[in-house]
Amino acid sequence: MKKDKDGKPIHPLRSVRDWKAWLKTFLPVVAWLAFGVLITAWMFAYVDLSPKVESNLFFSNEDPQLKEDTEIRRIFSQPEQIIVSARGDLHAAEYYEKVRELSEDFLALPEVFTVQSLTHGPDDVEDALKSPLWQRVVLAGEEASFVFLFLKEQPKEDVIRRIEKICEARKAPGFELMISGGPHIVEMIRRNLFRDLKVFSATALALFSLTLLFLFRSVWIVVGTVAASVISSTLTLIVNQVLQIEMGFLTANLSTIVFVLTLSHISFMTADWKQIMEADSNQENAGWKAAFGTLEAALWSTGTALLGFLSLFFVQAKSLRQFGIAGAVGVLFALFGAYVIYPWFLNCQKQSPNFFQAAPNAGGKIAAFLQRGQRWIFAICGVLVCVSCFALNQLNTDPSLFTYFQKNGDLRNGLEYIDHHGGSNPLNIVVSDPENPELNTREAMRKMWALHEALEKDPAVGNVVSTPLLLAEAKRSPLTFLMTNELVLDILGSKRFGDVAKYFITEDRKQALFTLRMNEGALQEKRLLIVDRIKGIVQSQNFNVDLVGGVFMLQGRLAALVSTSLLSGGALLNIVILAITFFLARSLRVSLAMLISLYFVPIVMFGILGWFRVPLDVISAPAVNLALGMGVDSMIHMVVFIKRKKMPIGKWDSWAQASSYLLEPIFWSTLVVCAGFAIFMLSTFPPTQRFGMSVVIGTILTPFAALFILPYLGGAEFSFFKNKNKRPRVK
């Protein structure tokens, strides 16, 4: 009979039992890894990961914010526009010929129905300089001219690329070309975001893995964490595709958010598993015991995050509603990955590894230091909150489009040049005259011309195109002085002149459209305030403002909705946290302490962004949700730990033990998340930089809220005369 290494006889069925035990332990791991590979391959093959934004700028056709803009498009058939700036010597014959060739190339595109340029509009350069219309529309001083492309519909990605190829082919010394316009700007943002997501998400995943390996010193834990997080993120993207939720600017970072939420659950489970293994290294199914031990806190934190995301469903913006639904799906899959997949990998680690520690008994020493200095750390956090409150009003939630591109980069320089010579962002205003029901009379035209000049004087307005400007241009022709305004408008509305009149005045002549090209570079206040000022100018000229639309207006409304969603989501979070914490702790003091502690994170985070004038755009805004999710998770685990150990919830001893126990998992998740997201700050795309920086700031602030502020508010006796010897010490 065969013997083992100790000389004992091996039972004939022992090898069979060992084989069955091996299958029971490792077969689920192999199955989950195979499943992860398959669904990841399926996702890359069938899920469209490219962010999409259309001309309605994040809004759906049913959103009330878009109704006025949709009505303007219906009445005046406003086409999409792309602007190309051509710098050179306007008076040179070679320059004029190059503009003509460029215009013809654009007209050859089937998606372009007409072009306005120096060669397709005015007779020549001298005529453009004398014209009230063309000097505003196609000239940029004496050094450049504009080529306007009017498109039949919202251009797709391939149309933008063909326009770029034409410009690249026609570019030459002394003939510098730069592209602008709403569709091109949106495409550049989408393209940069998609590129960074591919490059930096993969790099961040590698950094996550290396940091986990450095901390845990266990291949099984690292592989399990990565597998659970990747599967959770992948399933989230697949289900959102099934729910027809498109990948937008807000949902572009969703997979990263799900990855971090999964990692947060795993950190607390691994800490519980470590305690189990240190107590008895021969424990069977220690991974599942740790999972069941932390499941209650995970369920409560998942419920809180779920309600936080679902609160966005009631916001009147398509992108925010979709982000709320997609985030809710991601929260559920994060719980699934951590508590259904990860324990199988944790069971494969048969002994507690030598986790990283800076020094022997470092955890106990740090915990003791934190408890002794709790009051001072709390005071420092209070000072940070007070200082941050002064900077909240400086937070820029409505940044210029130029902040989406690298400063002094070629693309931004080109956009700023075009914007400086007449503006770049359209704002449409439909007016009517209560004194002159029909706007084709001489008096009505005189009033509209006065309004036109008043609008051009506003510092936020570049150029203005309107009916009186078209009429002034038409009356430069011989014999038109003999024609009535109505006859001239009829001629301008004919096919011969491209139906130009119908874009600016209705057939019944009761409403007129003023198209303003707004200066993005001069944006010193919120867009909605500028729009209100523009409406005031219109009303001061005795006109009614019937409709307001355009990309400039939609951007302002979106920025307002993002700010409102943060406030409304915070209000719902208040109610949820108070209810959940009171149910768990049966203590109003602890509920309020948790609420105050949680608000420390966004207040200081927004304060830092405000002090340093960092724009909070729609791409970096989800970083707040991620930081709050980690904060809620840590705090609920603190409360559940005290409850599970059956300690009094209002005593300092209880919170001291909870802080000591949860110090390691909170430190692990903070270090891993910061290491992964810090790489985003190396991007050349500013929104990606701001997203990474915001996540790192929020992640660093979370431990202060969970380990210092909450224990102090929840357990301290607030007595300056208390004997310090009674304060608990950590061995």
Side-chain angles (χ1 to χ4, degrees), residues 304 573-574 577 592-603 627-633 635 702 705-706 709-710:
T304 306
L573 197 62
N574 293 347
I577 289 175
L592 293 174
M594 186 170 176
L595 194 63
I596 294 171
S597 304
L598 189 63
Y599 268 90
F600 166 79
V601 177
I603 288 176
L628 288 176
M630 292 185 64
V632 169
D633 201 18
M635 294 178 193
T702 297
I709 301 177
L710 177 60

Side-chain angles (χ1 to χ4, degrees), residues 669-680:
S669 58
T670 300
L671 183 61
V672 172
V673 172
C674 288
F677 280 98
I679 193 68
F680 281 74

